[in-house]
Amino acid sequence: NAGVMQNPRHLVRRRGQEARLRCSPMKGHSHVYWYRQLPEEGLKFMVYLQKENIIDESGMPKERFSAEFPKEGPSILRIQQVVRGDSAAYFCASSFGQGPGYGYTFGSGTRLTVV
Amino acid sequence: KQEVTQIPAALSVPEGENLVLNCSFTDSAIYNLQWFRQDPGKGLTSLLLIQSSQREQTSGRLNASLDKSSGRSTLYIAASQPGDSATYLCAVRNTGNQFYFGTGTSLTVIP
């Protein structure tokens, strides 16, 4: 079981470009979560998805950010027209279910640097 | 909104010492609580998950306790080793869809 796979591990983008971050959940997990870790800050929830559905996007910035989890393939977090403030580590987590007995398994993250 | 606080922010101990990391949360109506470790530049590794109905969980040299009524959890590490050096994160979930994270305790175990 390969765990939660995120790619790329590091991504450098110039201001105004698009960033696409990919996450493949653990085998058998249908719940995917994206978190952002800004320098010197804790992890902040962004969005929760199940296959083909966004369940909770209450932590997503209203503009430029979008997420999807298609029927086939990985979950994608997309940031359009990146700005310096988007530089952060973006972590994906997955879980088998939503009950109290289910915790998260995290990927290694994608470190985005906007220059 | 749930607020999670971890004290101390940093801790340095000699190898072999037993230690306790603290986590407090403001909303006691939690679903579960999970402790993670994060190594520099790496992802999060799950250590222990405690459901709201449980008081503690143990894994090897680690023991996590939960006191919902007082809004606290502790992570006890026995016989610390240099390999335990990392940032330890406490995450709390209410009935919603997200975990709320503390900012972590940075642990250094000195050989």
Side-chain angles (χ1 to χ4, degrees), chain B residues 85-107:
Chain B
S85 298
T87 296
Y88 289 79
L89 297 168
C90 168
V92 175
R93 185 151 84 91
N94 296 99
T95 54
N97 297 311
Q98 61 173 292
F99 271 102
Y100 293 89
F101 280 83
T103 49
T105 293
S106 176
L107 173 66

Side-chain angles (χ1 to χ4, degrees), chain A residues 2-115:
Chain A
V4 178
M5 304 300 293
Q6 288 190 250
N7 66 81
R9 292 292 303 275
H10 300 275
L11 183 61
V12 179
R13 285 286 178 266
R14 295 187 185 278
R15 279 180 294 170
Q17 291 185 319
E18 178 180 289
R20 291 172 71 90
L21 288 62
R22 294 174 184 78
C23 169
S24 295
M26 277 189 73
K27 189 174 182 180
H29 286 192
S30 59
H31 303 259
V32 167
Y33 314 83
W34 285 93
Y35 280 74
R36 177 164 65 173
Q37 187 175 38
L38 292 165
E40 308 304 322
E41 294 188 20
L43 279 89
K44 303 292 184 192
F45 170 78
M46 298 182 75
V47 62
Y48 160 45
L49 311 101
Q50 292 185 37
K51 281 289 186 182
E52 300 184 272
N53 289 300
I54 296 174
I55 308 301
D56 182 351
E57 57 182 348
S58 58
M60 287 274 272
K62 293 288 185 280
E63 298 177 349
R64 302 187 297 108
F65 285 72
S66 62
E68 62 177 12
F69 189 16
K71 187 176 181 182
E72 301 291 337
S75 175
I76 306 286
L77 179 67
R78 184 180 175 210
I79 311 172
Q80 296 177 288
Q81 298 175 316
V82 296
V83 301
R84 289 238 169 94
D86 296 333
S87 294
Y90 292 82
F91 290 97
C92 170
S94 71
S95 68
F96 183 80
Q98 275 283 76
Y102 298 107
Y104 284 9
T105 300
F106 275 85
S108 297
T110 293
R111 278 144 189 89
L112 172 66
T113 302
V114 179
V115 298

Side-chain angles (χ1 to χ4, degrees), chain B residues 36-47:
Chain B
F36 296 89
R37 70 174 277 170
Q38 185 175 27
D39 294 278
K42 301 286 179 63
L44 281 70
T45 300
S46 177
L47 298 173

Side-chain angles (χ1 to χ4, degrees), chain B:
Chain B
K1 183 188 169 218
Q2 181 72 271
E3 302 272 348
V4 181
T5 303
Q6 290 187 248
I7 293 172
L11 181 64
S12 184
V13 300
E15 182 177 2
E17 195 161 293
N18 303 324
L19 58 102
V20 174
L21 307 180
N22 296 293
C23 171
S24 61
F25 45 93
T26 53
D27 184 349
S28 61
I30 69 169
Y31 214 42
N32 56 27
L33 182 149
Q34 196 166 359
W35 282 93
F36 296 89
R37 70 174 277 170
Q38 185 175 27
D39 294 278
K42 301 286 179 63
L44 281 70
T45 300
S46 177
L47 298 173
L48 290 163
L49 171 73
I50 308 179
Q51 299 180 51
S52 60
S53 58
Q54 298 173 327
R55 295 299 299 270
E56 66 177 351
Q57 284 287 333
T58 298
S59 176
R61 295 182 293 109
L62 306 180
N63 176 277
S65 67
L66 174 64
D67 184 345
K68 275 200 315 179
S69 60
S70 65
R72 288 200 278 191
S73 175
T74 61
L75 179 67
Y76 174 82
I77 302 177
S80 57
Q81 302 171 357
D84 294 331
S85 298
T87 296
Y88 289 79
L89 297 168
C90 168
V92 175
R93 185 151 84 91
N94 296 99
T95 54
N97 297 311
Q98 61 173 292
F99 271 102
Y100 293 89
F101 280 83
T103 49
T105 293
S106 176
L107 173 66
T108 302
V109 180
I110 304 166

